[in-house]
């Protein structure tokens, strides 16, 4: 079994793996710019910088930057050795390095003497004063095996920091493992001979651009949903508000018409000439489905036309095919037989759309013109936010394809666990999981299944983020200290407002990383050829 470095409490690794903005450790005012573009959700920004970041929607812990960061000097780091250790470095796959550490006999002897001296201070043997116990009697009392184990531990504790200095600035934090078995080191050990052991450590991966400087002349095509266009979005919003102040009345003398609301029970089966092959389609089934006929574009093509005219209590059956572009892959191209029962049927009784209801549509407005101008202004802001967000996503989607990176396993696992942690927080907020459910979802098996199922997505995010970090360095991009100070203060203020614990130094690091990412995206947009297409 490999010996964990943590067991000897080393604190001298200078390399950190930074994760941008984990939701559970950074102020809610920060969002990462790699989350999938979603026009349905708009969050209110809290600060000027937050507006810039929020428009880009960076997901929890999605940007990773592996870079050197100074750490406090530990006692072990400055511990002088009587002789130099010999370290041989061997490159291994997945950005991993193997270090063979040869410890001279002089170092082993010095560690042995220190261990014996410490035992003499602590052990109480009748007839001897502390520190004045003969070595032979001490060894007989505490056991040679105990002294030998303590000596090997001392050798590791004192020599490992010196060995790690050979990868200073490259080693990823928490990725160091001594792979030589402790029992093997005990067997080899002798105070008169040298001791050797092997260490493996993940290092900062090299970012290799498939086309050198290819990021400098990106050609981006950005697809924009027509519902976010300001004019159309404004019309839809006015229509939605108008509908919200009306009332629903039961239809008693006719069938379903466009504009009505209907409550349906829906079931569906596959269509097959061999009845034994017919199967239910659970994903298409629904009880008490509330359907607004004005949202006909949101359901299966042909569904609305098929139920027009249906009356309360009536059942209709009809065939439909799921298009090849359907969101659920397993339903694409499936021919289905739908059975629909109309449970309730309503029509809207709406007030006339004129200046008299302006204040109900938007409090403070006196006429429809003022309502439209105010909503149009908001919609234009939302449209710009959505455009920026979609542009960032399109750029980042190209970046990960432009680099080759040998991703360290520790980096992959850290990124994946951060994403899974954020997912658990989201589920917990929505469902209020009990302790048993939370324990099940937090189990090593559940986490490992997530890592494996999301391997492609996690790999993509890591490549995106390391590419962004590399561009920041290559182009010598900078941000002002004033920006950093302001956003750190804003972030800390939010932590305190929400009564959450925080590490001020960690907050500062994360804010710095967010600022760097924002600068890179800003630079890339300025130098890219961008085409917008409305879908």
């Amino acid at each position: 079994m490999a010996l964990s470095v943590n067991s000897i409490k080393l604190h001298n690794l200078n390399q950190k793996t930074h994760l941008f903005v984990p939701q559970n450790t950074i102020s809610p005012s920060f969002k990462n710019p790699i989350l999938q573009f979603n026009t349905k959700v708009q969050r209110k920004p809290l600060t000027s910088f937050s507006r810039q970041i929020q428009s880009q929607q960076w997901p929890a812990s999605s940007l990773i930057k592996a870079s050197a960061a100074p750490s406090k000097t530990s006692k072990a780091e400055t511990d002088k050795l009587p002789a130099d250790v010999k370290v041989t470095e061997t490159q291994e796959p997945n950005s991993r390095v193997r270090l063979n550490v040869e410890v001279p006999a002089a170092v082993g002897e010095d560690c042995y003497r220190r261990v014996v001296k410490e035992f003499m201070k602590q052990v109480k043997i009748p007839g001897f004063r502390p520190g004045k116990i003969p070595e032979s009697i001490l060894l007989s009392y505490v056991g040679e095996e105990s002294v030998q184990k303590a000596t090997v531990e001392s050798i590791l504790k004192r020599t490992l920091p010196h060995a790690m200095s050979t990868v200073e600035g490259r080693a990823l934090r928490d990725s160091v493992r001594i792979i030589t078995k402790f029992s093997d080191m005990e067997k080899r050990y002798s105070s008169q001979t040298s001791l050797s052991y092997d260490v493996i450590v993940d290092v900062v991966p090299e970012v290799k651009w498939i086309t050198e400087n290819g990021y400098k002349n990106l050609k981006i095509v950005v697809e924009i949903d027509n519902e976010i266009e300001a004019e159309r979005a404004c019309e839809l919003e006015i229509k939605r508000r108008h509908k919200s102040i009306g009332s629903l009345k039961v239809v008693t003398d006719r069938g379903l018409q466009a504009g009505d609301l209907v409550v349906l029970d829906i079931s569906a089966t596959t269509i097959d000439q061999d009845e034994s092959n017919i199967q239910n389609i659970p994903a298409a089934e629904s009880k008490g489905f509330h359907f607004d006929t004005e949202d006909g574009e949101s359901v299966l093509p042909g569904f609305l036309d098929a139920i027009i005219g249906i009356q309360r209590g009536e059942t209709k059956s009809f065939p439909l095919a799921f298009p090849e572009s359907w969101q659920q892959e397993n339903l694409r191209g499936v021919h289905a037989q739908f059975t629909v029962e109309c449970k309730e049927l309503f029509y809207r009784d709406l007030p006339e759309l004129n200046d008299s209801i302006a204040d109900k549509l938007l409090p403070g407005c006196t006429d429809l013109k003022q309502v439209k101008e105010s909503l149009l202004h908001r919609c234009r802001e939302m449209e710009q936010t959505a455009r920026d967000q979609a542009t960032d996503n399109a750029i980042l989607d190209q970046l990960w394809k432009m680099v080759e990176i040998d991703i360290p396993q520790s980096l992959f696992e850290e990124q994946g666990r951060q994403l899974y942690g954020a997912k658990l927080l989201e589920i917990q907020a929505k469902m209020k999981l009990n302790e048993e459910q939370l324990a099940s979802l937090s189990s090593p098996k559940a986490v490992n299944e997530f890592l494996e199922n999301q391997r492609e997505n996690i790999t993509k995010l890591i490549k995106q983020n390391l590419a962004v970090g590399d561009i920041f360095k290559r182009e010598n991009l900078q941000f002002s200290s004033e920006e950093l100070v302001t956003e750190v203060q804003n972030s800390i203020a939010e932590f305190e407002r929400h009564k959450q614990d925080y590490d001020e130094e960690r907050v500062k690091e994360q804010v710095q990383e967010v600022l760097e990412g924002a600068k890179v995206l800003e630079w890339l947009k300025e130098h890219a050829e961008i085409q917008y297409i409305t879908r």
Side-chain angles (χ1 to χ4, degrees):
M1 180 180 294
L3 178 67
S4 169
V5 174
N6 293 333
S7 67
I8 53 178
K9 300 180 181 178
L10 295 178
H11 307 286
N12 67 309
L13 299 184
N14 291 332
Q15 183 62 43
K16 295 182 182 178
T17 302
H18 296 313
L19 292 167
F20 278 13
V21 198
Q23 287 180 340
N24 58 336
T25 58
I26 191 71
S27 159
S29 67
F30 289 94
K31 304 292 178 183
N32 285 355
I34 298 187
L35 192 61
Q36 283 297 316
F37 171 43
N38 181 354
T39 62
K40 303 300 182 184
V41 180
Q42 298 293 336
R43 298 182 177 89
K44 185 177 179 182
L46 299 172
T47 66
S48 59
F49 174 69
S50 301
R51 284 196 292 272
Q52 178 186 4
I53 295 301
Q54 190 149 8
S55 68
Q56 296 160 355
Q57 286 294 298
W58 299 28
S61 63
S62 63
L63 277 189
I64 300 174
K65 184 182 73 171
S67 62
S71 63
K72 294 180 180 179
T73 302
S74 67
K75 182 178 178 180
E77 219 175 353
T78 57
D79 192 2
K80 300 276 176 127
L81 298 177
D84 293 334
V85 295
K86 180 182 178 182
V87 181
T88 304
E89 180 177 319
T90 305
Q91 297 295 326
E92 296 197 349
N94 300 323
S95 299
R96 175 169 287 179
V97 169
R98 178 188 291 263
L99 303 176
N100 176 258
V101 185
E102 295 183 29
V103 182
V107 174
E109 175 65 19
D110 189 61
C111 290
Y112 173 80
R113 291 301 167 197
R114 289 192 179 197
V115 166
V116 169
K117 186 176 181 180
E118 191 62 30
F119 269 119
M120 285 184 177
K121 291 180 182 178
Q122 297 179 7
V123 173
K124 295 181 180 179
I125 301 178
F128 297 95
R129 288 183 298 168
K132 300 296 182 179
I133 305 170
E135 184 175 323
S136 59
I137 294 177
L138 176 70
L139 293 176
S140 177
Y141 187 80
V142 301
E144 290 188 13
E145 185 178 344
S146 296
V147 174
Q148 182 169 295
K149 283 185 178 181
T151 301
V152 173
E153 288 179 359
S154 176
I155 290 172
L156 293 175
K157 186 174 182 179
R158 294 180 65 196
T159 61
L160 187 58
H162 292 269
M164 292 306 302
S165 66
T166 63
V167 289
E168 183 176 357
R170 294 186 290 146
L172 297 181
R173 185 172 57 186
D174 300 329
S175 71
V176 184
R177 284 193 305 130
I178 297 173
I179 58 174
T180 304
K181 292 181 179 179
F182 191 85
S183 58
D184 290 343
M185 287 188 276
E186 281 188 278
K187 291 176 183 177
R188 296 177 200 167
Y189 168 72
S190 167
S191 63
Q192 302 301 316
T193 61
S194 64
L195 173 72
S196 67
Y197 60 92
D198 286 341
V199 178
I200 57 173
V201 56
D202 289 342
V203 296
V204 178
E206 180 185 359
V207 178
K208 297 179 181 177
W209 293 89
I210 297 173
T211 301
E212 187 67 20
N213 296 325
Y215 63 85
K216 292 186 176 182
N217 53 359
L218 293 177
K219 297 184 187 301
I220 306 293
V221 177
V222 183
E223 291 189 352
I224 301 293
D225 195 317
N226 64 354
E227 289 190 4
I228 71 163
E229 289 186 336
E231 293 287 346
R232 175 172 171 75
C234 180
E235 291 177 6
L236 292 173
E237 181 61 16
I238 291 175
K239 190 173 184 178
R240 185 192 67 78
R241 290 173 182 244
H242 185 210
K243 286 160 57 174
S244 71
I245 61 176
S247 59
L248 295 179
K249 295 190 176 180
V250 178
V251 174
T252 58
D253 57 351
R254 61 171 175 80
L256 178 69
Q257 296 178 354
D260 290 344
L261 285 89
V262 62
V263 180
L264 305 170
D265 282 353
I266 305 170
S267 62
T269 62
T270 57
I271 296 176
D272 198 299
Q273 291 182 347
D274 185 350
E275 292 186 2
S276 64
N277 292 331
I278 294 176
Q279 297 179 342
N280 291 330
I281 306 176
E285 296 180 353
S286 180
K287 294 285 187 182
F289 175 61
H290 290 246
F291 177 45
D292 185 343
T293 55
E294 292 188 352
D295 296 333
E297 295 179 358
S298 64
V299 295
L300 186 66
F303 183 85
L304 175 58
D305 292 338
I307 63 172
I308 286 293
I310 194 171
Q311 296 190 14
R312 185 175 181 271
E314 182 182 357
T315 298
K316 279 191 173 186
S317 184
F318 48 88
L320 286 177
F322 288 89
E324 294 297 335
S325 59
W326 196 249
Q327 185 175 7
Q328 293 168 273
E329 292 184 17
N330 63 319
L331 293 180
R332 292 173 184 172
V334 173
H335 291 261
Q337 186 70 28
F338 283 83
T339 300
V340 176
E341 181 183 358
C342 178
K343 309 297 287 187
E344 301 287 348
L345 184 57
F346 305 93
Y347 71 92
R348 286 191 179 89
D349 185 15
L350 299 176
E352 186 178 350
L353 188 60
N354 55 35
D355 293 344
S356 66
I357 64 170
D359 187 62
K360 293 181 179 179
L361 294 172
L362 187 62
C365 293
T366 56
D367 54 42
L368 286 180
K369 181 181 178 182
Q370 190 177 3
V371 171
K372 183 173 181 179
E373 288 176 349
S374 297
L375 291 178
L376 185 59
H377 177 71
R378 297 183 189 179
C379 289
R380 282 175 176 156
E381 288 184 342
M382 292 172 63
E383 178 184 9
Q384 187 58 51
T385 296
R387 278 177 171 267
D388 290 342
Q389 187 175 314
T391 303
D392 291 343
N393 289 334
I395 290 173
L396 291 165
D397 192 54
Q398 278 206 22
L399 282 185
W400 77 271
K401 301 171 185 176
M402 301 175 69
V403 294
E404 292 180 348
I405 301 175
D406 199 10
I407 298 175
Q409 182 63 19
S410 61
L411 193 57
F412 173 83
E413 290 182 359
E414 184 174 3
Q415 168 71 353
R417 292 176 190 280
Q418 289 281 350
L419 290 176
Y420 189 67
K423 180 182 176 183
L424 275 187
L425 286 175
E426 184 179 347
I427 294 173
Q428 175 74 344
K430 290 179 179 178
M431 300 177 59
K432 301 299 181 185
L433 302 173
N434 59 39
E435 289 186 9
E436 184 178 348
Q437 291 171 320
L438 194 58
S440 176
L441 289 173
S442 303
S443 67
K445 180 181 178 182
V447 175
N448 290 333
E449 285 179 356
F450 175 83
L451 293 179
E452 191 56 39
N453 293 335
Q454 295 295 316
R455 178 170 294 277
E456 184 177 343
N457 184 47
I458 295 169
T459 299
K460 173 182 173 180
L461 289 176
I462 292 173
K463 285 187 172 182
Q464 285 177 342
N465 305 327
L466 291 176
V468 167
D470 191 58
I471 293 171
F472 187 85
K473 293 178 182 177
R474 282 170 169 251
E475 301 304 324
N476 297 315
L477 301 179
Q478 297 179 345
F479 53 83
S480 68
S481 57
E482 289 79 8
E483 287 179 278
L484 179 61
V485 170
T486 299
E487 296 312 321
V488 168
Q489 290 174 344
N490 290 335
S491 190
I492 289 176
E494 283 206 33
F495 274 117
E496 293 175 346
R497 185 164 65 87
H498 288 85
K499 297 180 179 179
Q500 296 177 344
D501 294 332
Y502 63 89
D503 181 332
E504 185 170 347
E505 191 61 33
R506 184 67 180 128
V507 170
K508 183 178 179 181
E509 290 174 2
Q510 292 175 330
V511 170
Q512 180 173 330
E513 291 156 11
V514 172
L515 286 167
E516 289 182 7
K519 291 296 182 183
V520 170
L521 287 170
E522 181 182 331
W523 186 92
L524 289 172
K525 282 187 282 191
E526 290 176 355
H527 292 79
E529 181 181 318
I530 303 174
Q531 178 184 1
Y532 293 94
I533 297 177
T534 302
R535 60 186 174 206

